[in-house]
Amino acid sequence: MPDPRLRVLALYPDLMNIYADRGNLLLLERRCAWRGIGFSLLGAGLGDLLDPEAADLYYIGGGQDRDQRLCAYDLAEHKGEALHEAAARGAVVLAVCGGYQLLGRSYQLAGETLPGVGLLDCNTVRTEDGAVLGSGDRLIGNVAIEVQLERMAEPQVLAGFENHGGRTHLGPAARPLGKVLRGLGNNGNDGLEGGRAGKVIGTYLHGPLLPKNVWFADWLIATAIGADEPLAPLDDRLERLAHLEARRAAGI
Ligand code: GLN
């Protein structure tokens, strides 16, 4: 495989993949190929052990509560420790929606609290005053957030789509990924979206996220492979239109 190369490991690629979150992986693969950067993709499902050295970027997409429940216990039993080790050695961890919720400390459903990996200092609650939120209480819609990342000269916009019943609150050890410009974000109240701790990043943005925000995909690739120089530019005319359309849908 050519060097540099990006090694990606997708956690639960079958169970945690709603709103075409798998598209994020395809996009990473294409943008690497177009630049002559090697790319490999591994998957880890229920019961599999995780190699903390196997990847530069660990990825987990969104899912339904039912599937998340299976993954939460599997993570706790088989993979949580290795994911901590991977993050500690500097791997990027990107988690979308249900995956983001699982990176936190816990996900509280009616009658059951699912364990989280604890890579992000946040808690997610699906209930209020002990009652299950009705389906009308989901946080749904187009969303745009403002994000300032290392090595970016100025803040950038991430645009996407959110649909979650869980409300996430960050603790003091987590930073938000961004501040909400339009949409609801972590909980519809505090104006924050997503969570970060170093290279561990969680967000509620589907879309899929990366095809609509290729600047962020490139930031992830560069960070994961430890690129010293900016990645070679690509012909992003279509990607820019997709980004502008997602922003327009969100109202900015
Ligand atoms: N099941 C979770 C929730 O409803 C996550 C949903 C998702 O990944 N879109 O909050």
Side-chain angles (χ1 to χ4, degrees):
M1 195 190 294
D3 221 13
R5 64 192 176 138
L6 176 68
R7 300 168 308 154
V8 176
L9 192 147
L11 289 150
Y12 315 109
D14 299 328
L15 292 173
M16 300 296 283
N17 173 42
I18 49 174
Y19 301 114
D21 286 336
R22 201 192 313 266
N24 291 327
L25 301 171
L26 274 175
L27 183 111
L28 291 172
E29 190 254 318
R30 294 294 151 82
R31 291 185 81 75
C32 285
W34 286 332
R35 294 185 168 107
I37 298 173
F39 180 89
S40 64
L41 177 62
L42 294 170
L46 294 178
D48 294 339
L49 290 177
L50 199 62
D51 178 354
E53 305 282 341
D56 312 301
L57 190 155
Y58 292 78
Y59 173 75
I60 178 164
Q64 318 231 12
D65 285 351
R66 189 186 53 236
D67 296 325
Q68 258 177 279
R69 185 175 178 281
L70 297 173
C71 296
Y73 289 108
D74 185 79
L75 273 170
E77 192 175 347
H78 298 295
K79 300 181 180 65
E81 215 171 297
L83 209 51
H84 275 269
E85 278 176 47
R89 59 159 254 276
V92 171
V93 181
L94 174 66
V96 173
C97 200
Y100 166 36
Q101 296 171 341
L102 292 181
L103 286 195
R105 299 200 182 284
S106 63
Y107 180 22
Q108 192 185 332
L109 300 163
E112 184 177 18
T113 298
L114 302 181
V117 178
L119 270 172
L120 290 174
D121 180 20
C122 61
N123 287 298
T124 301
V125 179
R126 182 70 191 262
T127 58
E128 249 168 30
D129 303 320
V132 186
L133 293 165
S135 58
D137 295 317
R138 295 186 69 82
L139 306 182
I140 304 176
N142 294 297
V143 50
I145 66 172
E146 186 177 83
V147 177
Q148 174 74 67
L149 297 172
E150 300 79 27
R151 305 188 314 278
M152 311 277 326
E154 44 189 53
Q156 304 285 326
V157 171
L158 281 179
F161 174 77
E162 62 184 325
N163 182 353
H164 49 111
R167 268 80 169 154
T168 299
H169 290 93
L170 300 178
R175 286 187 283 156
L177 173 61
K179 64 173 196 251
V180 174
L181 300 172
R182 290 292 156 82
L184 295 155
N186 279 342
N187 50 56
N189 277 326
D190 61 15
L192 304 177
E193 204 292 313
R196 275 194 77 184
K199 297 180 194 169
V200 178
I201 298 176
T203 176
Y204 273 114
L205 271 63
H206 296 282
L209 169 70
L210 299 183
K212 292 183 174 177
N213 300 282
V214 290
W215 71 263
F216 186 49
D218 285 352
W219 185 89
L220 291 167
I221 294 170
T223 303
I225 65 176
D228 300 326
E229 293 171 13
L231 300 181
L234 297 172
D235 175 1
D236 278 336
R237 275 173 291 185
L238 277 177
E239 289 78 357
R240 251 191 294 279
L241 286 177
H243 178 71
L244 290 175
E245 179 56 28
R247 288 169 76 131
R248 193 199 56 76
I252 59 164

